[in-house]
Amino acid sequence: MKKLLNLAVLLFFTIWASAQTAEVKGTLKPNINKVVYLFQVVDGETKLVKSCSLADDGSFLFSIDQPNEGFYMIGGFTAAAGQFPIYLKKGDKAQLSIDNRQMEFTGKQTDENKLYSNENAVLNEWIKLTRELKSQIVILAGPKRAVNPQAEFAAVNQKTADFQKNINTKNTKFNLLMKQIVNYEMDFYALSLIKKNNGIIPESLAEYGKTLFQKDKFKSDDVFLYTNGKALITLYADYAASISKMEEGTNFLSTDRQKGTYIFDRMSPKVKTYPEFEAMLKAQGKYFNYASLKTKVDAFGTKLYKATPGRKAANFSFPDQDGKMVSLSDFKGKVVLVDVWATFCGPCKELIPALNQLEADLHDHKDLVFVGVAQDGPRARNTWLKIIKEKQMGGIQLFAGGGNNILASDYKIKVMPRYLIFDRQGNVVTTEAPLPSNPGLKKMLLVELAK
């Protein structure tokens, strides 16, 4: 009986796992590079999920555990190498063929055996409808042909309304999104053609152009679910600003996420120094609060920031023993010595007596602040409090809550203990100060205090 129960449980989990996994298989020809890539659409651009080496016959197989429902791209490593959309959700299977940088879903569809989902059946028709238009605009390599993208755009545009009316799968979420994607894609192609035409709307696009530009065109951030969503809002805002003459491109965008994405895309290539980065944050920071965009902006700032002497210090904030947040910027007007340590760091703890003695020796200097920042994780908080008490640690003691924090990131802290000195103006004196057991640390502090 127990064996039967175990078999039943095993069968259940096998079926459950299968229902959570999506599978994409097919062939790619010519298979010159021997690799096919799968990307997910994230924030209006592609993010690599997996790569797969091709078999000798050009076949490949992707297995994706619990995929996020939405659009993916498959094919070469770049758009010009040929990337094509597929729609995936948990349990989906898709069979396709990429040949000479053209793709289609393959296999006979029956009610009993679907080689690809109903969503991808719709997508397959859209791929066929826009194949020539896409190839002419993206400039995919292939057989020579007559190139007239404007005429091809007009031909596709005549068929889009009927195509959208026929989007009617049982997946309501997909139906609504796919109708939007059609509009986004046609706008993207139109704007690409206008850009290639030196910013002038070609005569063949005159009717389409009448409804192309308007404020709040992209009312929701669903535009970021489209493969070229980021490029689309950038093209749109640039051109809208050029024809309005008096208004900035951001005024034609609807949400802070759209505005922030556009601003960062346009400003970041011009920002070469950390002070310039800070100026950008001061002027436009309110638009950078969307989580993934904020992460990208912070990473950009960290790359620019180099903790060299005389450079403005990167600020940090952590809770003290009572849970009160304390920031480096709170001590402007004072010289600050920061001790970066951890309860699990033996050398750090060995140097605590020397640090306590240094603090006692300089006790009369009221414009000098000692700050300790423990890099321990949340579970070590009680240990941290215990060591502070046992070792009679002075100064201001802060708890970072883990090694993955802004102080460690900005100051490239890989090894502890580490001592940093900041001047009265909040600038870096050094991020590699001598150990407290070394008379050189006291000398450096006295020199800075005398200024």
Side-chain angles (χ1 to χ4, degrees):
M1 184 70 178
K2 187 176 180 180
K3 288 184 178 179
L4 288 174
L5 180 60
N6 289 339
L7 285 172
V9 170
L10 180 61
L11 180 61
F12 169 78
F13 280 107
T14 301
I15 294 171
W16 179 86
S18 178
Q20 302 295 306
T21 302
E23 184 180 279
V24 181
K25 65 180 180 179
T27 57
L28 187 150
K29 297 178 182 179
N31 54 353
I32 299 171
N33 295 321
K34 301 292 184 180
V35 180
V36 63
Y37 300 90
L38 180 69
F39 300 83
Q40 184 178 0
V41 178
V42 178
D43 296 329
E45 51 190 350
T46 56
K47 178 182 179 181
L48 182 64
V49 176
K50 283 186 174 184
S51 62
C52 179
S53 297
L54 299 174
D56 291 340
D57 62 355
S59 63
F60 61 85
L61 172 65
F62 284 107
S63 181
I64 308 101
D65 294 330
Q66 302 189 56
N68 294 319
E69 181 174 351
F71 285 94
Y72 292 71
M73 300 294 284
I74 193 167
F77 195 70
T78 65
Q83 293 178 348
F84 305 93
I86 59 176
Y87 191 87
L88 293 177
K89 59 185 185 300
K90 294 175 184 177
D92 272 356
K93 294 186 183 299
Q95 182 172 301
L96 53 90
S97 170
I98 303 174
D99 190 355
N100 200 23
R101 299 186 183 178
Q102 295 185 352
M103 188 198 92
E104 66 177 337
F105 293 92
T106 59
K108 187 176 181 180
Q109 295 284 83
T110 66
D111 291 337
E112 296 79 21
N113 184 28
K114 289 187 179 296
L115 297 178
Y116 50 89
S117 66
N118 291 330
E119 293 92 340
N120 282 322
V122 172
L123 195 53
N124 202 31
E125 293 305 311
W126 179 245
I127 291 170
K128 291 178 182 178
L129 179 60
T130 58
R131 178 173 292 153
E132 185 61 25
L133 175 60
K134 178 181 178 179
S135 67
Q136 292 194 23
I137 291 177
V138 180
I139 316 178
L140 298 180
K144 290 185 178 181
R145 61 193 180 276
V147 177
N148 189 346
Q150 296 174 22
E152 189 62 32
F153 179 91
V156 173
N157 188 44
Q158 287 182 342
K159 300 174 183 177
T160 55
D162 286 338
F163 177 83
Q164 288 171 309
K165 288 178 184 177
N166 291 324
I167 299 173
N168 189 30
T169 72
K170 293 180 179 179
N171 186 341
T172 305
K173 175 183 177 180
F174 168 81
N175 296 342
L176 293 172
L177 181 56
M178 187 64 207
K179 289 174 183 178
Q180 287 181 296
I181 294 295
V182 169
N183 292 331
Y184 295 150
E185 186 127 291
M186 294 305 291
D187 283 348
F188 176 72
Y189 289 152
L191 286 162
S192 298
L193 288 172
I194 292 168
K195 183 178 181 179
K196 286 185 177 183
N197 201 38
N198 298 316
I200 300 171
I201 298 179
E203 187 176 341
S204 58
L205 269 68
E207 284 300 312
Y208 193 92
K210 289 178 182 178
T211 59
L212 184 56
F213 302 106
Q214 53 185 310
K215 287 188 178 182
D216 296 320
K217 180 179 180 67
F218 306 110
K219 296 185 184 299
S220 80
D221 286 331
D222 283 351
V223 66
F224 291 108
L225 300 175
Y226 167 53
T227 309
N228 295 307
K230 177 184 172 184
L232 172 58
I233 63 167
T234 301
L235 282 169
Y236 177 77
D238 278 348
Y239 192 79
S242 74
I243 61 173
S244 68
K245 303 298 183 185
M246 298 182 66
E247 294 189 78
E248 295 181 356
T250 50
N251 293 334
F252 290 83
L253 301 175
S254 303
T255 70
D256 283 356
R257 183 183 175 189
Q258 292 171 18
K259 293 176 182 180
T261 298
Y262 173 66
I263 290 167
F264 185 62
D265 185 73
R266 282 292 172 257
M267 290 188 71
S268 57
K270 302 174 185 177
V271 176
K272 304 297 183 183
T273 67
Y274 194 75
E276 290 174 346
F277 172 75
E278 290 185 304
M280 179 181 74
L281 285 186
K282 185 175 181 180
Q284 310 290 355
K286 64 181 180 180
Y287 297 121
F288 300 149
N289 290 324
Y290 185 77
S292 59
L293 177 59
K294 187 176 187 303
T295 298
K296 186 181 292 185
V297 173
D298 288 346
F300 179 73
T302 298
K303 188 175 180 180
L304 284 176
Y305 182 79
K306 293 180 181 179
T308 52
R311 187 177 295 277
K312 185 176 179 181
N315 195 31
F316 56 81
S317 302
F318 300 109
D320 65 10
Q321 293 156 272
D322 299 318
K324 178 185 175 184
M325 295 300 292
V326 178
S327 303
L328 176 63
S329 58
D330 295 339
F331 305 112
K332 194 167 184 180
K334 296 184 178 183
V335 176
V336 182
L337 172 65
V338 175
D339 166 27
V340 184
W341 70 291
T343 64
F344 56 80
C345 170
C348 299
K349 290 184 285 186
E350 288 177 9
L351 287 166
I352 290 174
L355 188 62
N356 286 346
Q357 185 60 53
L358 179 63
E359 186 175 3
D361 292 346
L362 299 174
H363 177 72
D364 292 338
H365 294 273
K366 304 301 181 184
D367 50 353
L368 172 63
V369 179
F370 286 75
V371 178
V373 183
Q375 300 294 291
D376 297 85
R379 293 181 180 179
R381 189 174 188 279
N382 289 336
T383 303
W384 169 66
L385 292 171
K386 182 180 178 181
I387 291 177
I388 290 173
K389 185 176 180 180
E390 288 180 349
K391 300 283 188 179
Q392 298 182 333
M393 297 178 70
I396 296 168
Q397 297 299 324
L398 307 179
F399 192 72
N404 186 19
N405 61 73
I406 192 168
L407 169 65
S409 174
D410 283 350
Y411 294 98
K412 309 295 186 294
I413 294 172
K414 304 293 185 184
V415 179
M416 295 178 288
R418 179 88 168 264
Y419 300 90
L420 303 82
I421 300 175
F422 302 94
D423 67 16
R424 302 178 200 278
Q425 288 72 47
N427 297 321
V428 174
V429 176
T430 179
T431 61
E432 297 281 359
L435 301 177
S437 56
N438 184 331
L441 178 57
K442 182 177 180 179
K443 183 178 180 180
M444 287 186 71
L445 291 171
L446 288 171
V447 168
E448 204 58 42
L449 287 165
K451 291 182 180 178

